[in-house]
Amino acid sequence: MNNLEIPAETTPEFTSTSETSLLVVIVDSNPSQKMLRDNPHVLTHCVDSVIAFANSHLMQKAQNKLAVMACHSKTSEFIYPGPNKPLDVRQIDGQYEVFTAVEKTIKHNLAKLLANEKSTLVTESLLAGAIAMALCYIARIQRTKPPGCRLNSRILVVTGSGDSASQYMNYMNVFFTAQKQGIVIDVCALDQHLSLLQQGCDITGGLYLKVPQLQGLLQYLLWVFLPEPPIRQKLVLPPPVKVDYRAACFCHRELIDIGYVCSVCLSIFCKFSPICTTCHTVFKIPGPLAVKSKKKKIKL
Amino acid sequence: MVDEEEQKEYRWETGYEKTWEAIKEDDDGFLEASVADIIQRAKRKRQAQKQGNSKLGMMRHLYVILDCSDSMSSQDLKPTRLLCTVKIMENFIEEFFDQNPISQMGIIIMHNKRAEKISDLAGNARKHIKAINNLKQTSLIGEPSLQNSLEMALRALKLLPSHASREILVVMGSLTTCDPGDINTTILNLKSEGVRCSVIGLAAEVHVCRRLANETGGLYNVILDDCHFKDLLYQQVDPPPAALTLESNLIKMGFPHQMSVEGTEEPLTMCMCHVDSTDEGSKLNTGGYYCPQCYSKYCELPVECRACGLTLVSAPHLARSYHHLFPAANYDEITYENQTVICFACQKNFSETDKQVYRCPNCTKIFCINCDIFVHDILHTCPGCATNLSTFQIAHNTTQ
């Protein structure tokens, strides 16, 4: 007992009461993603793991805050805390009431969302939009927090769908916003390798993990994503992978080493072309020779 | 394209600048609330003018000309004009390179009737911030010379390739300038070279500054207080519309990546950026970016290769500038009549106090005022559009 009391007394007050961690979990529950089409029961397993993980986050500190979002191809919604007023729960089996409320709210709202989902076979989940909503939510919590309080926010994306280049601009906007606001984006890939989201993790300083075994999802979540970012450097976590930041050209979507960039709209091309296909600008000087002579002038 | 017609309006005839009408004392006799209101309204107005699909000068080359004359020691900005300017300038430089990663900036100071270049055109924010911080120790003496400084900036900007957008930003505290010749010829030269000159006055309107800005298509503003100063300076962060004379060009660029051969460690090498610098010595290390053309190593991007002159960038650097070209659609202001219970993005419950809500024209989702500002100032992506399959590419498609 003595051992328990001493740290409580020695920890300075400001670290324990004035620091809050807000975790926003984005669960990709799009029923048409490949992983769920093959085996729909996986979703139950994933949601259970996420709920257990979310409760562990709340358990770490009384001030910790949580929000959970579900992401589909047509819409994204906050499933905890939901738009309705919080559920009235009584203690069951001695479980902390908040945990019961988290589990019930998430399952209730998710069921409602899935029931409304019309069976359109769109495999793409719009994760960039969901992250954008999460950033707005975090910005509001940041605005309304009591003065003198510090808020550390992070976003965890749990998804089984792939990322497509069509969302590229939205992805980049949310990554740079998160970087500016000091929000860490973690990504837990369940099925496919996600190169764009991996770039986002690298930009914001988060962790990217492709889960090798879906059965052990909770284990991975608890070991890798539960510790706060400042603590992570003291742990032995999966080593960061080198991220390929090469650009893909707009004409053939191939990764290139040396390319041509339109000075008006910054479109990237792998070969010189006299007209920009994005902004229809006509380029004046044909041939790279003229460009080279201009380059020399800068150095003078 | 920008309308390069000369504005014949005087300052006191323009809408926004009727400052004495806009400024009203609040109940306690303070002016702060109305100043904040002016800034807020100007922000929304500017936002409304922003349109996608216009040609912008993305590769900016900006010379900042700072007044370091006697008049900058005046204490109307706290603690002094110079210290306040240095402080705001530091943040501005960071923001500028954050939003315009492939642009370059240089700083010239004017004091004692001379112009002095304290940092050359370069794309490294840290170097400029260091240079501007050293200004705190400068002695503020003599009169400034606008002409000398403009000529110095022009000499450097003249040499740039034709696709580069050339800009000068003058921060002027003094009401006078001491010039060796006729400044009108300098202004004409600037105009013919397509250099856009903007002036921020710290004291009062000066005719020659107004003329300079009008002739060259820049902005001229006089500050009200330090907040307004900051706001005016931050207007310069957004790239200006491309001048008519600006040529378009395809620029050859390199996208370096780390050299990694499976199973082997990278060799220890020195980077080209620090190899001959005296204050920060170069260190031997393994990581780095290699120029795809000549394999020189650099420790940070973006940079111009010193060996072969290729501009080296990474794809996210280019992506960082895309939001200027494809901004989020402006929301319509509508009165709140219980259209929805919560703000779509931040989940805030609307209450009696929310008289105005904001609706996105593409996805028709409703947002609160704070989200409106957040989305257009920082995020540049509408959360409503980005979460719906039928709308998430609208901003992109309009340009195709």
Side-chain angles (χ1 to χ4, degrees):
Chain A
M1 276 310 280
N2 273 338
N3 280 349
L4 278 176
E5 274 170 21
I6 291 164
E9 277 168 8
T10 48
T11 13
E13 182 125 358
F14 60 87
T15 54
S16 55
T17 55
S18 60
E19 236 182 276
T20 351
S21 310
L22 170 63
L23 170 72
V24 183
V25 187
I26 299 174
V27 186
D28 184 353
S29 57
N30 186 357
S32 33
Q33 55 185 307
K34 186 175 162 288
M35 181 182 80
L36 294 184
R37 273 206 317 262
D38 295 347
N39 185 2
H41 297 296
V42 174
L43 185 63
T44 324
H45 172 65
C46 290
V47 170
D48 281 339
S49 302
V50 167
I51 290 171
F53 169 72
N55 283 341
S56 319
H57 170 74
L58 289 177
M59 192 158 57
Q60 284 192 315
K61 222 189 269 173
Q63 294 86 20
N64 279 3
K65 284 188 178 149
L66 171 77
V68 183
M69 291 179 70
C71 174
H72 283 214
S73 60
K74 284 273 174 60
T75 182
S76 289
E77 249 177 49
F78 277 86
I79 52 177
Y80 178 87
N84 308 320
K85 65 170 194 253
L87 290 177
D88 198 19
V89 280
R90 253 190 269 151
Q91 207 175 50
I92 309 163
D93 291 342
Q95 194 188 29
Y96 180 35
E97 295 93 326
V98 177
F99 295 169
T100 324
V102 168
E103 181 172 356
K104 286 211 165 147
T105 320
I106 289 179
K107 287 196 167 161
H108 175 77
N109 284 332
L110 190 60
K112 214 165 67 183
L113 186 66
L114 287 170
N116 286 338
E117 175 82 17
K118 297 183 187 66
S119 56
T120 45
L121 278 178
V122 187
T123 48
E124 194 177 357
S125 302
L126 297 177
L127 290 167
I131 300 174
M133 280 175 77
L135 288 172
C136 287
Y137 179 79
I138 292 171
R140 175 172 72 96
I141 305 287
Q142 189 81 39
R143 267 197 306 275
T144 52
K145 72 172 197 287
C149 192
R150 266 193 56 200
L151 184 73
N152 304 319
S153 322
R154 58 200 169 105
I155 299 174
L156 169 68
V157 181
V158 182
T159 176
S161 52
D163 54 356
S164 77
S166 55
Q167 290 184 70
Y168 183 76
M169 202 134 43
N170 290 341
Y171 270 130
M172 285 302 152
N173 282 335
V174 297
F175 294 157
F176 292 133
T177 307
Q179 186 195 26
K180 227 179 191 175
Q181 312 283 95
I183 298 164
V184 169
I185 298 181
D186 295 323
V187 175
C188 180
L190 304 180
D191 194 32
Q192 295 162 43
H193 174 71
L194 308 164
S195 64
L196 272 176
L197 281 164
Q198 195 185 14
Q199 290 187 19
C201 294
D202 194 56
I203 291 169
T204 60
L207 281 168
Y208 171 85
L209 179 76
K210 156 100 179 59
V211 173
Q213 291 258 317
L214 203 54
Q215 275 77 32
L217 177 61
L218 180 58
Q219 198 86 313
Y220 290 114
L221 288 176
L222 291 179
W223 274 105
V224 179
F225 297 108
L226 191 59
E228 302 270 319
I231 302 169
R232 284 180 191 172
Q233 43 191 313
K234 298 192 168 63
L235 302 175
V236 183
L237 292 171
V241 226
K242 279 196 177 152
V243 186
D244 192 358
Y245 275 125
R246 268 181 304 168
C249 66
F250 284 29
C251 34
H252 307 96
R253 294 258 161 231
E254 268 168 41
L255 289 177
I256 48 171
D257 276 340
I258 297 179
Y260 295 91
V261 176
C262 168
S263 70
V264 178
C265 68
L266 303 181
S267 308
I268 306 160
F269 302 100
C270 57
K271 281 198 206 87
F272 190 93
S273 71
I275 274 190
C276 171
T277 50
T278 313
C279 63
H280 308 293
T281 308
V282 183
F283 300 121
K284 218 169 186 179
I285 306 149
L289 203 74
V291 181
K292 225 176 180 179
S293 69
K294 296 275 179 194
K295 276 277 184 271
K296 273 183 193 154
K297 277 186 180 172
I298 303 175
K299 279 198 284 179
L300 279 174
Chain B
M1 290 286 171
V2 67
D3 188 19
E4 284 186 330
E5 209 178 320
E6 191 189 329
Q7 263 185 305
K8 276 272 179 339
E9 236 174 354
Y10 282 105
R11 184 177 160 71
W12 50 86
E13 289 172 349
T14 58
Y16 167 60
E17 267 107 354
K18 285 181 184 174
T19 43
W20 61 89
E21 272 180 28
I23 292 183
K24 288 192 185 69
E25 290 180 12
D26 63 10
D27 297 340
D28 303 322
F30 290 117
L31 299 175
E32 263 171 44
S34 62
V35 172
D37 192 47
I38 290 173
I39 295 170
Q40 189 62 43
R41 257 188 297 151
K43 237 182 202 169
R44 270 199 73 85
K45 198 173 143 195
R46 259 209 318 281
Q47 204 66 259
Q49 285 165 353
K50 246 196 237 174
Q51 279 172 349
N53 230 345
S54 62
K55 279 188 168 187
L56 300 175
M58 295 303 292
M59 310 217 169
R60 305 175 66 183
H61 293 80
L62 172 73
Y63 259 110
V64 177
I65 299 178
L66 274 183
D67 188 349
C68 280
S69 64
D70 193 28
S71 61
M72 289 300 278
S73 53
S74 163
Q75 294 186 339
D76 53 357
L77 294 175
K78 300 296 171 211
T80 65
R81 277 186 189 170
L82 181 82
L83 294 177
C84 180
T85 310
V86 166
K87 188 95 199 89
I88 295 177
M89 219 31 162
E90 261 177 52
N91 297 332
F92 167 73
I93 293 173
E94 248 166 48
E95 186 74 12
F96 179 86
F97 284 109
D98 188 60
Q99 301 284 311
N100 307 282
I102 43 175
S103 299
Q104 301 196 348
M105 187 195 266
I107 303 169
I108 293 173
I109 57 170
M110 40 187 185
H111 64 159
N112 208 8
K113 307 184 189 90
R114 284 194 176 81
E116 190 188 328
K117 198 181 282 178
I118 60 165
S119 79
D120 271 316
L121 266 190
N124 188 333
R126 259 183 296 135
K127 218 184 79 193
H128 298 309
I129 291 175
K130 209 171 145 195
I132 213 153
N133 263 321
N134 288 340
L135 282 184
K136 286 179 186 163
Q137 273 89 46
T138 336
S139 51
L140 304 170
I141 37 165
E143 275 188 273
S145 168
L146 195 56
Q147 192 186 13
N148 282 338
S149 329
L150 289 175
E151 289 283 356
M152 182 184 257
L154 181 62
R155 271 199 300 279
L157 291 173
K158 243 184 200 167
L159 303 172
L160 293 173
S162 54
H163 59 78
S165 112
R166 306 153 191 205
E167 293 165 65
I168 292 175
L169 170 66
V170 187
V171 177
M172 187 90 171
S174 166
L175 293 172
T176 55
T177 158
C178 182
D179 296 331
D182 184 10
I183 196 164
N184 289 317
T185 51
T186 310
I187 294 176
L188 285 180
N189 282 342
L190 287 166
K191 193 182 175 184
S192 64
E193 289 293 332
V195 182
R196 182 180 191 264
C197 302
S198 297
V199 186
I200 296 178
L202 302 187
E205 172 147 346
V206 180
H207 175 73
V208 70
C209 295
R210 155 72 61 202
R211 195 175 148 75
L212 170 69
N214 276 354
E215 286 286 332
T216 59
L219 296 169
Y220 179 47
N221 282 301
V222 178
I223 63 163
L224 299 172
D225 65 353
D226 52 343
C227 284
H228 190 222
F229 183 18
K230 197 172 169 186
D231 188 55
L232 289 176
L233 198 57
Y234 274 47
Q235 279 183 29
Q236 303 290 332
V237 167
D238 293 328
L244 287 166
T245 51
L246 198 71
E247 278 173 23
S248 4
N249 217 331
L250 273 183
I251 301 133
K252 199 173 176 187
M253 282 192 188
F255 300 94
H257 52 102
Q258 284 105 337
M259 267 209 287
S260 54
V261 188
E262 281 298 312
T264 55
E265 285 271 301
E266 263 177 74
L268 282 168
T269 42
M270 287 203 256
C271 62
M272 288 286 278
C273 12
H274 292 116
V275 80
D276 55 356
S277 80
T278 45
D279 45 341
E280 272 179 275
S282 182
K283 289 191 192 83
L284 278 171
N285 55 4
T286 52
Y289 302 95
Y290 295 87
C291 170
Q293 198 162 258
C294 66
Y295 295 105
S296 324
K297 188 174 99 165
Y298 295 91
C299 57
E300 55 184 16
L301 298 177
V303 73
E304 188 176 314
C305 179
R306 288 169 135 195
C308 63
L310 189 69
T311 312
L312 307 177
V313 292
S314 77
H317 281 125
L318 294 179
R320 214 179 260 262
S321 307
Y322 284 151
H323 72 80
H324 295 304
L325 302 156
F326 315 109
N330 283 316
Y331 294 166
D332 304 323
E333 194 176 84
I334 50 172
T335 45
Y336 182 56
E337 286 152 345
N338 293 317
Q339 290 99 333
T340 172
V341 192
I342 52 167
C343 164
F344 179 77
C346 72
Q347 310 293 304
K348 183 187 131 163
N349 277 309
F350 288 124
S351 61
E352 295 289 304
T353 51
D354 295 285
K355 296 207 171 57
Q356 253 87 39
V357 289
Y358 299 85
R359 186 176 57 198
C360 172
N362 294 331
C363 62
T364 66
K365 296 278 195 301
I366 309 259
F367 301 92
C368 65
I369 178 154
N370 288 319
C371 283
D372 176 40
I373 295 170
F374 183 76
V375 165
H376 290 100
D377 272 5
I378 304 176
L379 192 55
H380 307 295
T381 291
C382 169
C385 298
T387 47
N388 196 331
L389 201 66
S390 50
T391 47
F392 84 101
Q393 272 189 316
I394 279 187
H396 197 68
N397 282 342
T398 48
T399 59
Q400 299 265 309

